[in-house]
Amino acid sequence: MKPNQPQTMRDMLNLYLVAGTQDCRHLGGTPQQNLLSVLEQALRSGITCYQLREKGAGSLQDKALIQQLAAECRTLCRQYGVPFVLNNDVEAAIEWGADGVHIGQKDMPLAQAADLCRGRLFIGISNNSFDNILNSRQINRADYFACGPLFPTQSKPDAAAPVGIDLVRRVRAAGITQPLVAIGGIKAAHAAEIRAAGADGIAVISAITQAEDVAAAVRALLAK
């Protein structure tokens, strides 16, 4: 059964889970088992994209272990017809058979990353300001833009200052039509307003990984 099956880039962004083992260490199993359990529950409940972001305090450091984990995450995503995205590492994303890669403003330059990805996988880029968005649009090589953090977040200690939902409105008011996902401190109570502001979807970490009931959390984030 493949309940998710995103048809377009905008569909794919509807509910985008970003997570690594560092986000699931409060659970009882091994770090890898914890993440895979949360991911499968989230996939079964209807997330439309998953990004493995194995980064920060408590994350795996052995690249061979990360590659093995990526393969297991990719297999789960395939079972549910959901794109599998790798964070930051373009070359690994290609080598490991990811569907897409997500980069930040301080990672590999967008044009260079897009050249490597051409015909192999899609690419998304983080944007922490309206100027970032304008620059990303001018380069015109990303398949989607991430915008945020909208709210304060504990999941990324190095996150930029919150930009608020008004940045999403400003982007759309400026006639920027690229597929757009909002991220950063988002909870279910924010979801409808963010989508109404013009985002194609929302990306979350702790709203799912820290939930006592993953299925209920996903349903709440998807509610119209």
PDB file of all heavy atoms in Angstrom, residues 103-132:
ATOM      1  N   ILE A 103      20.231  21.765   0.376  1.00  0.00           N
ATOM      2  CA  ILE A 103      21.430  22.493   0.787  1.00  0.00           C
ATOM      3  C   ILE A 103      21.049  23.798   1.468  1.00  0.00           C
ATOM      4  O   ILE A 103      19.952  24.322   1.284  1.00  0.00           O
ATOM      5  CB  ILE A 103      22.370  22.777  -0.401  1.00  0.00           C
ATOM      6  CG1 ILE A 103      21.683  23.672  -1.448  1.00  0.00           C
ATOM      7  CG2 ILE A 103      22.856  21.467  -1.029  1.00  0.00           C
ATOM      8  CD1 ILE A 103      22.626  24.139  -2.552  1.00  0.00           C
ATOM      9  N   GLY A 104      22.004  24.309   2.257  1.00  0.00           N
ATOM     10  CA  GLY A 104      21.838  25.602   2.905  1.00  0.00           C
ATOM     11  C   GLY A 104      22.594  26.682   2.161  1.00  0.00           C
ATOM     12  O   GLY A 104      23.331  26.416   1.209  1.00  0.00           O
ATOM     13  N   GLN A 105      22.437  27.900   2.617  1.00  0.00           N
ATOM     14  CA  GLN A 105      23.095  29.030   1.970  1.00  0.00           C
ATOM     15  C   GLN A 105      24.617  28.962   2.094  1.00  0.00           C
ATOM     16  O   GLN A 105      25.331  29.535   1.269  1.00  0.00           O
ATOM     17  CB  GLN A 105      22.585  30.345   2.577  1.00  0.00           C
ATOM     18  CG  GLN A 105      21.129  30.644   2.262  1.00  0.00           C
ATOM     19  CD  GLN A 105      20.908  31.026   0.814  1.00  0.00           C
ATOM     20  OE1 GLN A 105      21.749  31.678   0.203  1.00  0.00           O
ATOM     21  NE2 GLN A 105      19.758  30.634   0.269  1.00  0.00           N
ATOM     22  N   LYS A 106      25.122  28.248   3.099  1.00  0.00           N
ATOM     23  CA  LYS A 106      26.565  28.192   3.322  1.00  0.00           C
ATOM     24  C   LYS A 106      27.176  26.864   2.877  1.00  0.00           C
ATOM     25  O   LYS A 106      28.337  26.592   3.127  1.00  0.00           O
ATOM     26  CB  LYS A 106      26.868  28.432   4.809  1.00  0.00           C
ATOM     27  CG  LYS A 106      26.456  29.819   5.285  1.00  0.00           C
ATOM     28  CD  LYS A 106      26.752  30.019   6.766  1.00  0.00           C
ATOM     29  CE  LYS A 106      26.323  31.401   7.234  1.00  0.00           C
ATOM     30  NZ  LYS A 106      26.583  31.601   8.685  1.00  0.00           N
ATOM     31  N   ASP A 107      26.375  26.036   2.215  1.00  0.00           N
ATOM     32  CA  ASP A 107      26.890  24.774   1.703  1.00  0.00           C
ATOM     33  C   ASP A 107      27.433  24.993   0.290  1.00  0.00           C
ATOM     34  O   ASP A 107      27.783  26.115  -0.082  1.00  0.00           O
ATOM     35  CB  ASP A 107      25.774  23.718   1.707  1.00  0.00           C
ATOM     36  CG  ASP A 107      25.292  23.407   3.121  1.00  0.00           C
ATOM     37  OD1 ASP A 107      26.132  23.431   4.043  1.00  0.00           O
ATOM     38  OD2 ASP A 107      24.089  23.156   3.299  1.00  0.00           O
ATOM     39  N   MET A 108      27.506  23.950  -0.491  1.00  0.00           N
ATOM     40  CA  MET A 108      27.953  24.066  -1.872  1.00  0.00           C
ATOM     41  C   MET A 108      27.103  25.105  -2.610  1.00  0.00           C
ATOM     42  O   MET A 108      25.881  25.135  -2.439  1.00  0.00           O
ATOM     43  CB  MET A 108      27.819  22.708  -2.564  1.00  0.00           C
ATOM     44  CG  MET A 108      28.257  22.696  -4.016  1.00  0.00           C
ATOM     45  SD  MET A 108      28.012  21.059  -4.799  1.00  0.00           S
ATOM     46  CE  MET A 108      29.308  20.124  -3.991  1.00  0.00           C
ATOM     47  N   PRO A 109      27.717  25.991  -3.417  1.00  0.00           N
ATOM     48  CA  PRO A 109      26.925  26.974  -4.162  1.00  0.00           C
ATOM     49  C   PRO A 109      25.816  26.312  -4.979  1.00  0.00           C
ATOM     50  O   PRO A 109      26.018  25.225  -5.554  1.00  0.00           O
ATOM     51  CB  PRO A 109      27.963  27.638  -5.065  1.00  0.00           C
ATOM     52  CG  PRO A 109      29.261  27.473  -4.337  1.00  0.00           C
ATOM     53  CD  PRO A 109      29.164  26.137  -3.654  1.00  0.00           C
ATOM     54  N   LEU A 110      24.664  26.957  -5.030  1.00  0.00           N
ATOM     55  CA  LEU A 110      23.495  26.369  -5.671  1.00  0.00           C
ATOM     56  C   LEU A 110      23.771  25.979  -7.121  1.00  0.00           C
ATOM     57  O   LEU A 110      23.395  24.882  -7.554  1.00  0.00           O
ATOM     58  CB  LEU A 110      22.316  27.352  -5.598  1.00  0.00           C
ATOM     59  CG  LEU A 110      21.045  26.936  -6.330  1.00  0.00           C
ATOM     60  CD1 LEU A 110      20.546  25.582  -5.851  1.00  0.00           C
ATOM     61  CD2 LEU A 110      19.965  28.008  -6.139  1.00  0.00           C
ATOM     62  N   ALA A 111      24.419  26.856  -7.887  1.00  0.00           N
ATOM     63  CA  ALA A 111      24.665  26.545  -9.298  1.00  0.00           C
ATOM     64  C   ALA A 111      25.539  25.303  -9.446  1.00  0.00           C
ATOM     65  O   ALA A 111      25.288  24.447 -10.308  1.00  0.00           O
ATOM     66  CB  ALA A 111      25.309  27.736  -9.998  1.00  0.00           C
ATOM     67  N   GLN A 112      26.550  25.184  -8.608  1.00  0.00           N
ATOM     68  CA  GLN A 112      27.438  24.020  -8.657  1.00  0.00           C
ATOM     69  C   GLN A 112      26.680  22.749  -8.276  1.00  0.00           C
ATOM     70  O   GLN A 112      26.824  21.702  -8.928  1.00  0.00           O
ATOM     71  CB  GLN A 112      28.625  24.224  -7.722  1.00  0.00           C
ATOM     72  CG  GLN A 112      29.628  23.069  -7.716  1.00  0.00           C
ATOM     73  CD  GLN A 112      30.757  23.290  -6.710  1.00  0.00           C
ATOM     74  OE1 GLN A 112      30.900  24.372  -6.140  1.00  0.00           O
ATOM     75  NE2 GLN A 112      31.558  22.265  -6.489  1.00  0.00           N
ATOM     76  N   ALA A 113      25.889  22.843  -7.195  1.00  0.00           N
ATOM     77  CA  ALA A 113      25.104  21.690  -6.770  1.00  0.00           C
ATOM     78  C   ALA A 113      24.124  21.269  -7.859  1.00  0.00           C
ATOM     79  O   ALA A 113      23.957  20.075  -8.133  1.00  0.00           O
ATOM     80  CB  ALA A 113      24.357  22.016  -5.481  1.00  0.00           C
ATOM     81  N   ALA A 114      23.488  22.246  -8.489  1.00  0.00           N
ATOM     82  CA  ALA A 114      22.516  21.942  -9.540  1.00  0.00           C
ATOM     83  C   ALA A 114      23.174  21.279 -10.737  1.00  0.00           C
ATOM     84  O   ALA A 114      22.597  20.384 -11.363  1.00  0.00           O
ATOM     85  CB  ALA A 114      21.789  23.212  -9.960  1.00  0.00           C
ATOM     86  N   ASP A 115      24.390  21.692 -11.064  1.00  0.00           N
ATOM     87  CA  ASP A 115      25.118  21.050 -12.165  1.00  0.00           C
ATOM     88  C   ASP A 115      25.359  19.569 -11.860  1.00  0.00           C
ATOM     89  O   ASP A 115      25.214  18.711 -12.737  1.00  0.00           O
ATOM     90  CB  ASP A 115      26.454  21.752 -12.412  1.00  0.00           C
ATOM     91  CG  ASP A 115      26.305  23.071 -13.159  1.00  0.00           C
ATOM     92  OD1 ASP A 115      25.249  23.280 -13.795  1.00  0.00           O
ATOM     93  OD2 ASP A 115      27.244  23.888 -13.097  1.00  0.00           O
ATOM     94  N   LEU A 116      25.725  19.258 -10.619  1.00  0.00           N
ATOM     95  CA  LEU A 116      25.959  17.875 -10.235  1.00  0.00           C
ATOM     96  C   LEU A 116      24.655  17.065 -10.225  1.00  0.00           C
ATOM     97  O   LEU A 116      24.650  15.879 -10.566  1.00  0.00           O
ATOM     98  CB  LEU A 116      26.601  17.808  -8.853  1.00  0.00           C
ATOM     99  CG  LEU A 116      28.049  18.276  -8.740  1.00  0.00           C
ATOM    100  CD1 LEU A 116      28.478  18.322  -7.277  1.00  0.00           C
ATOM    101  CD2 LEU A 116      28.978  17.345  -9.525  1.00  0.00           C
ATOM    102  N   CYS A 117      23.565  17.713  -9.844  1.00  0.00           N
ATOM    103  CA  CYS A 117      22.284  17.020  -9.691  1.00  0.00           C
ATOM    104  C   CYS A 117      21.530  16.843 -11.004  1.00  0.00           C
ATOM    105  O   CYS A 117      20.593  16.033 -11.070  1.00  0.00           O
ATOM    106  CB  CYS A 117      21.384  17.796  -8.727  1.00  0.00           C
ATOM    107  SG  CYS A 117      21.949  17.814  -7.023  1.00  0.00           S
ATOM    108  N   ARG A 118      21.901  17.570 -12.023  1.00  0.00           N
ATOM    109  CA  ARG A 118      21.111  17.621 -13.255  1.00  0.00           C
ATOM    110  C   ARG A 118      20.780  16.225 -13.780  1.00  0.00           C
ATOM    111  O   ARG A 118      21.652  15.413 -14.030  1.00  0.00           O
ATOM    112  CB  ARG A 118      21.870  18.402 -14.322  1.00  0.00           C
ATOM    113  CG  ARG A 118      21.089  18.585 -15.626  1.00  0.00           C
ATOM    114  CD  ARG A 118      21.908  19.352 -16.637  1.00  0.00           C
ATOM    115  NE  ARG A 118      22.253  20.686 -16.157  1.00  0.00           N
ATOM    116  CZ  ARG A 118      23.301  21.377 -16.581  1.00  0.00           C
ATOM    117  NH1 ARG A 118      24.122  20.848 -17.472  1.00  0.00           N
ATOM    118  NH2 ARG A 118      23.547  22.596 -16.120  1.00  0.00           N
ATOM    119  N   GLY A 119      19.485  15.982 -13.942  1.00  0.00           N
ATOM    120  CA  GLY A 119      19.030  14.715 -14.479  1.00  0.00           C
ATOM    121  C   GLY A 119      19.114  13.549 -13.518  1.00  0.00           C
ATOM    122  O   GLY A 119      18.751  12.424 -13.877  1.00  0.00           O
ATOM    123  N   ARG A 120      19.582  13.794 -12.310  1.00  0.00           N
ATOM    124  CA  ARG A 120      19.745  12.704 -11.340  1.00  0.00           C
ATOM    125  C   ARG A 120      18.821  12.844 -10.143  1.00  0.00           C
ATOM    126  O   ARG A 120      18.231  11.870  -9.701  1.00  0.00           O
ATOM    127  CB  ARG A 120      21.190  12.641 -10.853  1.00  0.00           C
ATOM    128  CG  ARG A 120      22.227  12.556 -11.962  1.00  0.00           C
ATOM    129  CD  ARG A 120      23.588  12.275 -11.365  1.00  0.00           C
ATOM    130  NE  ARG A 120      24.675  12.672 -12.246  1.00  0.00           N
ATOM    131  CZ  ARG A 120      25.949  12.373 -12.039  1.00  0.00           C
ATOM    132  NH1 ARG A 120      26.297  11.700 -10.964  1.00  0.00           N
ATOM    133  NH2 ARG A 120      26.885  12.762 -12.873  1.00  0.00           N
ATOM    134  N   LEU A 121      18.738  14.044  -9.591  1.00  0.00           N
ATOM    135  CA  LEU A 121      17.901  14.254  -8.424  1.00  0.00           C
ATOM    136  C   LEU A 121      17.523  15.728  -8.315  1.00  0.00           C
ATOM    137  O   LEU A 121      18.187  16.596  -8.874  1.00  0.00           O
ATOM    138  CB  LEU A 121      18.577  13.779  -7.140  1.00  0.00           C
ATOM    139  CG  LEU A 121      19.898  14.374  -6.661  1.00  0.00           C
ATOM    140  CD1 LEU A 121      20.162  13.918  -5.222  1.00  0.00           C
ATOM    141  CD2 LEU A 121      21.070  13.945  -7.509  1.00  0.00           C
ATOM    142  N   PHE A 122      16.428  15.993  -7.611  1.00  0.00           N
ATOM    143  CA  PHE A 122      15.982  17.372  -7.443  1.00  0.00           C
ATOM    144  C   PHE A 122      16.748  18.021  -6.295  1.00  0.00           C
ATOM    145  O   PHE A 122      17.398  17.356  -5.496  1.00  0.00           O
ATOM    146  CB  PHE A 122      14.468  17.453  -7.238  1.00  0.00           C
ATOM    147  CG  PHE A 122      13.951  16.742  -6.019  1.00  0.00           C
ATOM    148  CD1 PHE A 122      14.019  17.326  -4.765  1.00  0.00           C
ATOM    149  CD2 PHE A 122      13.353  15.491  -6.133  1.00  0.00           C
ATOM    150  CE1 PHE A 122      13.537  16.689  -3.640  1.00  0.00           C
ATOM    151  CE2 PHE A 122      12.861  14.828  -5.010  1.00  0.00           C
ATOM    152  CZ  PHE A 122      12.949  15.426  -3.761  1.00  0.00           C
ATOM    153  N   ILE A 123      16.646  19.347  -6.230  1.00  0.00           N
ATOM    154  CA  ILE A 123      17.418  20.089  -5.238  1.00  0.00           C
ATOM    155  C   ILE A 123      16.562  21.173  -4.592  1.00  0.00           C
ATOM    156  O   ILE A 123      15.792  21.867  -5.261  1.00  0.00           O
ATOM    157  CB  ILE A 123      18.693  20.692  -5.882  1.00  0.00           C
ATOM    158  CG1 ILE A 123      19.570  21.386  -4.835  1.00  0.00           C
ATOM    159  CG2 ILE A 123      18.358  21.618  -7.033  1.00  0.00           C
ATOM    160  CD1 ILE A 123      20.969  21.708  -5.357  1.00  0.00           C
ATOM    161  N   GLY A 124      16.686  21.277  -3.269  1.00  0.00           N
ATOM    162  CA  GLY A 124      16.031  22.337  -2.526  1.00  0.00           C
ATOM    163  C   GLY A 124      17.072  23.163  -1.801  1.00  0.00           C
ATOM    164  O   GLY A 124      18.167  22.681  -1.504  1.00  0.00           O
ATOM    165  N   ILE A 125      16.727  24.413  -1.501  1.00  0.00           N
ATOM    166  CA  ILE A 125      17.673  25.295  -0.818  1.00  0.00           C
ATOM    167  C   ILE A 125      16.975  26.066   0.290  1.00  0.00           C
ATOM    168  O   ILE A 125      15.839  26.528   0.134  1.00  0.00           O
ATOM    169  CB  ILE A 125      18.356  26.269  -1.812  1.00  0.00           C
ATOM    170  CG1 ILE A 125      19.444  27.089  -1.101  1.00  0.00           C
ATOM    171  CG2 ILE A 125      17.341  27.155  -2.534  1.00  0.00           C
ATOM    172  CD1 ILE A 125      20.364  27.843  -2.043  1.00  0.00           C
ATOM    173  N   SER A 126      17.664  26.190   1.428  1.00  0.00           N
ATOM    174  CA  SER A 126      17.148  26.967   2.554  1.00  0.00           C
ATOM    175  C   SER A 126      17.325  28.458   2.304  1.00  0.00           C
ATOM    176  O   SER A 126      18.338  28.887   1.731  1.00  0.00           O
ATOM    177  CB  SER A 126      17.889  26.587   3.841  1.00  0.00           C
ATOM    178  OG  SER A 126      17.636  25.256   4.195  1.00  0.00           O
ATOM    179  N   ASN A 127      16.353  29.221   2.770  1.00  0.00           N
ATOM    180  CA  ASN A 127      16.385  30.684   2.635  1.00  0.00           C
ATOM    181  C   ASN A 127      15.937  31.304   3.945  1.00  0.00           C
ATOM    182  O   ASN A 127      14.836  31.028   4.419  1.00  0.00           O
ATOM    183  CB  ASN A 127      15.451  31.134   1.510  1.00  0.00           C
ATOM    184  CG  ASN A 127      15.848  30.557   0.166  1.00  0.00           C
ATOM    185  OD1 ASN A 127      16.683  31.108  -0.536  1.00  0.00           O
ATOM    186  ND2 ASN A 127      15.253  29.427  -0.196  1.00  0.00           N
ATOM    187  N   ASN A 128      16.814  32.139   4.534  1.00  0.00           N
ATOM    188  CA  ASN A 128      16.538  32.733   5.839  1.00  0.00           C
ATOM    189  C   ASN A 128      16.105  34.191   5.756  1.00  0.00           C
ATOM    190  O   ASN A 128      15.922  34.829   6.786  1.00  0.00           O
ATOM    191  CB  ASN A 128      17.785  32.634   6.724  1.00  0.00           C
ATOM    192  CG  ASN A 128      18.369  31.232   6.747  1.00  0.00           C
ATOM    193  OD1 ASN A 128      19.528  31.037   6.413  1.00  0.00           O
ATOM    194  ND2 ASN A 128      17.572  30.258   7.129  1.00  0.00           N
ATOM    195  N   SER A 129      15.961  34.710   4.534  1.00  0.00           N
ATOM    196  CA  SER A 129      15.572  36.107   4.371  1.00  0.00           C
ATOM    197  C   SER A 129      14.992  36.307   2.975  1.00  0.00           C
ATOM    198  O   SER A 129      15.147  35.454   2.088  1.00  0.00           O
ATOM    199  CB  SER A 129      16.791  37.027   4.527  1.00  0.00           C
ATOM    200  OG  SER A 129      17.698  36.837   3.451  1.00  0.00           O
ATOM    201  N   PHE A 130      14.360  37.450   2.775  1.00  0.00           N
ATOM    202  CA  PHE A 130      13.819  37.781   1.455  1.00  0.00           C
ATOM    203  C   PHE A 130      14.954  37.932   0.444  1.00  0.00           C
ATOM    204  O   PHE A 130      14.825  37.514  -0.717  1.00  0.00           O
ATOM    205  CB  PHE A 130      12.995  39.070   1.540  1.00  0.00           C
ATOM    206  CG  PHE A 130      12.238  39.373   0.287  1.00  0.00           C
ATOM    207  CD1 PHE A 130      11.205  38.559  -0.138  1.00  0.00           C
ATOM    208  CD2 PHE A 130      12.552  40.495  -0.473  1.00  0.00           C
ATOM    209  CE1 PHE A 130      10.490  38.841  -1.311  1.00  0.00           C
ATOM    210  CE2 PHE A 130      11.853  40.784  -1.629  1.00  0.00           C
ATOM    211  CZ  PHE A 130      10.824  39.962  -2.052  1.00  0.00           C
ATOM    212  N   ASP A 131      16.080  38.472   0.874  1.00  0.00           N
ATOM    213  CA  ASP A 131      17.232  38.601  -0.031  1.00  0.00           C
ATOM    214  C   ASP A 131      17.736  37.229  -0.480  1.00  0.00           C
ATOM    215  O   ASP A 131      18.124  37.047  -1.636  1.00  0.00           O
ATOM    216  CB  ASP A 131      18.365  39.377   0.644  1.00  0.00           C
ATOM    217  CG  ASP A 131      18.096  40.873   0.727  1.00  0.00           C
ATOM    218  OD1 ASP A 131      17.186  41.350   0.001  1.00  0.00           O
ATOM    219  OD2 ASP A 131      18.774  41.555   1.510  1.00  0.00           O
ATOM    220  N   ASN A 132      17.753  36.264   0.448  1.00  0.00           N
ATOM    221  CA  ASN A 132      18.118  34.895   0.067  1.00  0.00           C
ATOM    222  C   ASN A 132      17.199  34.366  -1.026  1.00  0.00           C
ATOM    223  O   ASN A 132      17.637  33.761  -2.005  1.00  0.00           O
ATOM    224  CB  ASN A 132      18.020  33.941   1.261  1.00  0.00           C
ATOM    225  CG  ASN A 132      19.166  34.034   2.240  1.00  0.00           C
ATOM    226  OD1 ASN A 132      19.073  33.495   3.340  1.00  0.00           O
ATOM    227  ND2 ASN A 132      20.248  34.707   1.879  1.00  0.00           N
TER     228      ASN A 132
END
